[in-house]
Structures are given as structure tokens and as C-alpha cells.
Amino acid sequence: MDTTAGPIAPMDMMAAVVRQWQAVHPDLDTGPMEIIGRINRSAALLQQAEDAPLRRAGLTRPEFDVLGTLRRTGHELTPSEIARETFSSGAAVTKRLKQLAERGLVERRGDTRDRRVAHVRLTDAGRDLVDGLLPRQLAYEAMALSGIDLARQRELSALLGELLGQLEGRLGVPRG
């Protein structure tokens, strides 16, 4: 078998999908589909697993993202700042904040100058939960990546960072 031709294409669900599209439209370049499709499928599978440590703590990934945002920034944020940081809609953040406040993990206080503005902070219980969960969550994520050696993980991270930077710079609008 000749191994000088380059890396062997991964055998995953997207490989089958791409082969099917190539059979239907052999004239189209399916290269972008191979990348975006794998990113989307990987994200869906990771979400399907529901982040085991978070699930055991009774949190969803979006709720943990809100708590983590408050913890890593280290200060109060408005719901719109949280929405920007977590790439969520204002309505979704409002719902999450309500649920987290009911569980005693965050506190909201009104702005003294503008009653329409709220400020959100972690409670001690929220901070303790994030600090206790983060090492377990990182270990879970490391396990999910454990089939890829560390050098390749770094390469993947750099490539995804490059893609994300381009997408964020364009605000998600593809160039023509």
C-alpha cells in the first residue's frame, strides 16, 4: 500500500455524506462541507453527551457558560454583556439568569441610575460551584480529546482559532 500520497481520509459519518454528494454532484468542491460538517457534527455529539460533570451538577452547558463568564471576568455584568460574552440571545440569558437566581447561584441588582439595567454577580454558592466543577469539566473535555495526541490538539486549536477569528471578524457574513 502506498503511504506517500498523504494522510488517509478519516472514516466518519461525514466521509460517507461527502461521498454521496460527490456521486450526485461530482463537479462540486465538497471540501468546505468536509470541514464545516465535521465541526458541526462534533459539536452536536459533544452537546449530546451533555457534559457529564455539568449534568451531574444539574447544569446545562449554557448555564455553566453564564456562571463561568461571571467567574472569569471577576465582576458584575449586565445581562446584555453576558449575552455578548456567551453568544446568546438576550431572551435566553434572561431565562438562564432567572433559573440560576432561583437556585441561589447568581444575584441581580438594579442600577441606581437606570431602573431598566440590571447587574448580575455570582453568589458565594455560584462561585464555589464553578470552582469545584471547572477541574472536573476540563478533565472530561481532555478525555473527549484523548484520542488525539497533544501536538495535534494544539494544531487543531490553532486552526479552529484561525477560523473563529475570521468568522468573528466578519460577523458571520461570508465573503463573496
Side-chain angles (χ1 to χ4, degrees):
M1 180 197 286
D2 180 13
T3 58
T4 60
I8 297 171
M11 293 309 300
D12 56 31
M13 180 60 81
M14 280 310 301
V17 168
V18 166
R19 278 194 309 275
Q20 290 167 341
W21 277 118
Q22 287 172 338
V24 174
H25 286 291
D27 55 321
L28 293 179
D29 175 13
T30 57
M33 178 186 295
E34 294 179 52
I35 296 168
I36 302 300
R38 284 189 173 101
I39 290 170
N40 287 337
R41 187 156 173 81
S42 294
L45 288 169
L46 288 168
Q47 287 175 349
Q48 220 175 49
E50 294 184 34
D51 299 307
L54 302 181
R55 188 178 62 244
R56 282 192 294 275
L59 288 175
T60 64
R61 167 59 79 162
E63 289 171 335
F64 183 73
D65 287 346
V66 169
L67 296 173
T69 296
L70 289 165
R71 179 65 174 126
R72 69 183 161 75
T73 60
H75 57 81
E76 292 182 346
L77 295 172
T78 65
S80 29
E81 290 169 330
I82 294 169
R84 271 194 306 277
E85 286 283 328
T86 60
F87 205 63
S88 302
S89 72
V93 168
T94 298
K95 179 181 175 185
R96 289 178 197 131
L97 289 174
K98 182 178 185 283
Q99 292 167 334
L100 293 169
E102 287 171 357
R103 293 167 57 193
L105 301 174
V106 299
E107 291 177 341
R108 296 173 68 127
R109 71 167 181 82
D111 190 280
T112 55
R113 291 172 294 208
D114 187 345
R115 290 186 303 168
R116 296 170 297 174
V117 176
H119 297 275
V120 182
R121 72 171 192 87
L122 280 178
T123 62
D124 289 343
R127 187 191 66 245
D128 291 347
L129 179 63
V130 171
D131 288 350
L133 267 176
L134 186 59
R136 292 193 307 261
Q137 183 62 25
L138 289 172
Y140 173 80
E141 291 174 3
M143 188 237 3
L145 295 170
S146 66
I148 303 170
D149 73 55
L150 194 53
R152 301 280 290 181
Q153 287 182 36
R154 288 186 184 121
E155 180 182 2
L156 179 59
S157 177
L159 290 169
L160 289 171
E162 188 177 328
L163 174 63
L164 185 57
Q166 288 181 25
L167 293 172
E168 288 174 340
R170 288 188 249 157
L171 299 175
V173 178
R175 292 184 184 167

